[in-house]
Amino acid sequence: MANFKVPSRSEVSANNQEIFDNLHKGLGMVPNLYAVMALSDSALGNYLSFQNAKTTFSNKEKQTVNLVVSQVNECSYCQAAHTTLGKMNGLTEEQTIEIRKGSAPFDNKLDVLVKLAKEITAKKGFASTETIDAFINAGYSKGQVVELVFLVAEKTAMNYVHAITKVEIDFPLAKTI
């Protein structure tokens, strides 16, 4: 049966128990989507390494990418989580909604980031030359185009985990758009 129950700390491996403890220290909780990843002995640790990999994007830019990717991938869990995290990183509620709709008219540089992240996600990597050029012309580098693909892939992986597991959302729900 494909019913995914969120495991408690005592139901996961010793390695994942340590990760749960660290998450609890840092976040005050173990998000349900992270917890369900701990059903695997390696997925949660691997994912967190991927998520926390070095990047030249700011936390605000990362949350911007997370919001638009999660919207394109129809992940209500990640929309909720990244609306909360986006607000913690300088975005307003209204800005998170604009980003999820596919633009950031309040900031030209974030706007090109949103548009390229959306296009990479929706077109499975086949972004147009025009969108890539607009991103570079706004002050981003070709290296950041590559980094953005990795940010999209990382968030898409999490979106897919929620699509399959359907664990309960334990963040304030994002507004429907």
Side-chain angles (χ1 to χ4, degrees), residues 32 133 135 141:
N32 285 343
D133 286 347
F135 181 80
S141 69

PDB file of all heavy atoms in Angstrom, residues 32 133 135 141:
ATOM      1  N   ASN A  32       7.799  17.388   8.000  1.00  0.00           N
ATOM      2  CA  ASN A  32       7.278  16.086   7.580  1.00  0.00           C
ATOM      3  C   ASN A  32       7.935  15.572   6.304  1.00  0.00           C
ATOM      4  O   ASN A  32       8.188  14.379   6.179  1.00  0.00           O
ATOM      5  CB  ASN A  32       5.766  16.144   7.383  1.00  0.00           C
ATOM      6  CG  ASN A  32       5.020  16.181   8.689  1.00  0.00           C
ATOM      7  OD1 ASN A  32       5.556  15.861   9.750  1.00  0.00           O
ATOM      8  ND2 ASN A  32       3.755  16.583   8.627  1.00  0.00           N
ATOM      9  N   ASP A 133      19.868  34.868 -22.170  1.00  0.00           N
ATOM     10  CA  ASP A 133      20.565  36.132 -22.415  1.00  0.00           C
ATOM     11  C   ASP A 133      20.066  37.235 -21.492  1.00  0.00           C
ATOM     12  O   ASP A 133      20.865  38.030 -20.967  1.00  0.00           O
ATOM     13  CB  ASP A 133      20.416  36.558 -23.877  1.00  0.00           C
ATOM     14  CG  ASP A 133      21.256  35.731 -24.832  1.00  0.00           C
ATOM     15  OD1 ASP A 133      22.150  34.985 -24.368  1.00  0.00           O
ATOM     16  OD2 ASP A 133      21.009  35.815 -26.059  1.00  0.00           O
ATOM     17  N   PHE A 135      18.910  36.874 -18.508  1.00  0.00           N
ATOM     18  CA  PHE A 135      19.473  36.530 -17.196  1.00  0.00           C
ATOM     19  C   PHE A 135      20.914  37.033 -17.103  1.00  0.00           C
ATOM     20  O   PHE A 135      21.300  37.697 -16.143  1.00  0.00           O
ATOM     21  CB  PHE A 135      19.386  35.008 -17.034  1.00  0.00           C
ATOM     22  CG  PHE A 135      19.901  34.456 -15.743  1.00  0.00           C
ATOM     23  CD1 PHE A 135      19.127  34.491 -14.591  1.00  0.00           C
ATOM     24  CD2 PHE A 135      21.142  33.839 -15.682  1.00  0.00           C
ATOM     25  CE1 PHE A 135      19.585  33.937 -13.404  1.00  0.00           C
ATOM     26  CE2 PHE A 135      21.608  33.278 -14.500  1.00  0.00           C
ATOM     27  CZ  PHE A 135      20.827  33.335 -13.361  1.00  0.00           C
ATOM     28  N   SER A 141      25.956  35.397 -14.169  1.00  0.00           N
ATOM     29  CA  SER A 141      27.006  34.827 -15.009  1.00  0.00           C
ATOM     30  C   SER A 141      26.541  33.529 -15.678  1.00  0.00           C
ATOM     31  O   SER A 141      25.527  32.946 -15.280  1.00  0.00           O
ATOM     32  CB  SER A 141      28.243  34.519 -14.157  1.00  0.00           C
ATOM     33  OG  SER A 141      27.966  33.433 -13.274  1.00  0.00           O
TER      34      SER A 141
END
